[in-house]
Amino acid sequence: MTKPTPSSTPPTDSLDDLRERLRRFAAERDWEQFHTPKNLAMSVAIEAAEIMEHFQWLTAAQSASLDAVARHEIGHEIADVLLYLVRLADVLDIDMVAAAREKIGLNAHKYPVRGGL
Amino acid sequence: MTKPTPSSTPPTDSLDDLRERLRRFAAERDWEQFHTPKNLAMSVAIEAAEIMEHFQWLTAAQSASLDAVARHEIGHEIADVLLYLVRLADVLDIDMVAAAREKIGLNAHKYPVRGGL
Amino acid sequence: MTKPTPSSTPPTDSLDDLRERLRRFAAERDWEQFHTPKNLAMSVAIEAAEIMEHFQWLTAAQSASLDAVARHEIGHEIADVLLYLVRLADVLDIDMVAAAREKIGLNAHKYPVRGGL
Amino acid sequence: MTKPTPSSTPPTDSLDDLRERLRRFAAERDWEQFHTPKNLAMSVAIEAAEIMEHFQWLTAAQSASLDAVARHEIGHEIADVLLYLVRLADVLDIDMVAAAREKIGLNAHKYPVRGGL
């Protein structure tokens, strides 16, 4: 587990910044004991289902033309998934941006662009 | 829907960079037609379950002491969730970092730090 | 899609009975249009996450010693998964009990009992 | 926790029969230690996501006109959810059919049939 290094300036990268805020948030509330990888993995899945709830009975077309209120609510659900995901990667000491770039590379190889592009 | 503005230099923020890469990836493969918010929301949930699969039968203690191989595999599953989440926020034109900071603020209010901190 | 045959006596098997009740419930409310296999599959997953929510922060030991109130609430979440699952199997014309028995057989072969049992 | 009573004849109700088979299956493999409610709740959600995977990129119409091969595969995924759900209800000593009937009654009250039916 990486430990936060005290710093006077906040990180400039948005994911680094969220990671630092979440570390502090958990530490201040003594919640690190609950943040096992297993519990955080469950939390990501639970919040992912809450995003889905907004789309459960919508047609594909309806899901693409939501009003501002719905988009604001869904933004909060997306945020919840992101926050638990950042926290999960942090407690596992995984660089998720590096992993994501690696995955895009693997997918580009798996699904090559056809034609003359 | 925001449209990518052509740029000669890649974004410096990691999430902006992933968003741009995914836009290009979908456009090059003509996959935008499949990337409805409804389908992407399902995809986030499906990949979240694949993270969980690694922890399904582990104790909390085991989940916190994974070897490098397991952590590398889980890194890829975390990446899959992140990529679909970035893409979902993009097609809905949601700023997920702003939403995440807003959510941390709301949670700080909801769960105040006890004691003299 | 199988269609219900009118009958004067309710089915004696509990799953058959639930299937009939759900068919009638959807028909009376004109909800069949929403009950596509895709939407019902999402619904099963959404309700499964609601079961998980009850166990999210519990230890394995705590999860095995719930009080009557918690068990009653979880019973309703389990019921929601069961109802959508029965409905999904019905609209796909799948005999889920036969499939479940087949799956137990496959698993028994995959994970043979060791030793002299 | 209810304990199985030895019986010479198998239960006639399909869910009772599955419950008995799963009890025996777990006991014979000494898997009861893994079957905490928390782990089984995760398992239900993981298998629910595997159902969804079949519908991830399909339109609503495509999801309603699957061929026999797809329906057979999905039948096995539905079976997996059912089996973990039956097992979860069993270890929690919950009568899931009673809960399901109660839930249908609550939903009938919540969503009354309109018109002259």
Side-chain angles (χ1 to χ4, degrees), chain B residues 65-86:
Chain B
S65 57
L66 298 168
D67 63 25
V69 173
R71 282 167 52 251
H72 188 253
E73 285 175 13
I74 294 167
H76 278 192
E77 314 285 15
I78 289 175
D80 284 334
V81 177
L82 181 62
L83 293 172
Y84 279 123
L85 199 66
V86 166

Side-chain angles (χ1 to χ4, degrees), chain B residues 3 28 50 57 66 71 76-77 83 87 91:
Chain B
K3 284 286 161 283
E28 285 171 354
E50 296 196 7
W57 305 115
L66 298 168
R71 282 167 52 251
H76 278 192
E77 314 285 15
L83 293 172
R87 186 78 185 130
V91 302

Side-chain angles (χ1 to χ4, degrees), chain A residues 56-57, chain C residues 38-48 80-81 84:
Chain A
Q56 188 173 8
W57 305 115
Chain C
K38 180 162 176 148
N39 287 358
L40 292 167
M42 288 178 83
S43 302
V44 169
I46 288 167
E47 301 300 335
D80 284 333
V81 176
Y84 279 123

Side-chain angles (χ1 to χ4, degrees), chain C residues 7-82:
Chain C
S7 74
S8 46
T9 52
T12 54
D13 189 81
S14 54
L15 283 177
D16 292 337
D17 176 51
L18 292 177
R19 192 191 59 229
E20 296 298 317
R21 289 175 188 234
L22 291 173
R23 275 185 194 176
R24 210 158 43 228
F25 195 94
E28 286 171 354
R29 283 157 187 81
D30 198 20
W31 282 3
E32 284 138 334
Q33 57 184 317
F34 300 112
H35 288 187
T36 64
K38 180 162 176 148
N39 287 358
L40 292 167
M42 288 178 83
S43 302
V44 169
I46 288 167
E47 301 300 335
E50 296 196 7
I51 299 178
M52 275 207 296
E53 238 179 303
H54 290 266
F55 298 107
Q56 187 174 8
W57 305 116
L58 301 188
T59 63
Q62 288 168 330
S63 88
S65 58
L66 298 168
D67 62 25
V69 174
R71 283 168 51 251
H72 188 253
E73 285 175 11
I74 295 167
H76 278 193
E77 314 285 15
I78 289 175
D80 284 333
V81 176
L82 180 62

Side-chain angles (χ1 to χ4, degrees), chain A residues 20-31:
Chain A
E20 296 298 318
R21 288 174 189 234
L22 291 173
R23 276 185 193 174
R24 209 159 42 230
F25 195 95
E28 285 171 354
R29 283 157 188 81
D30 199 20
W31 282 2

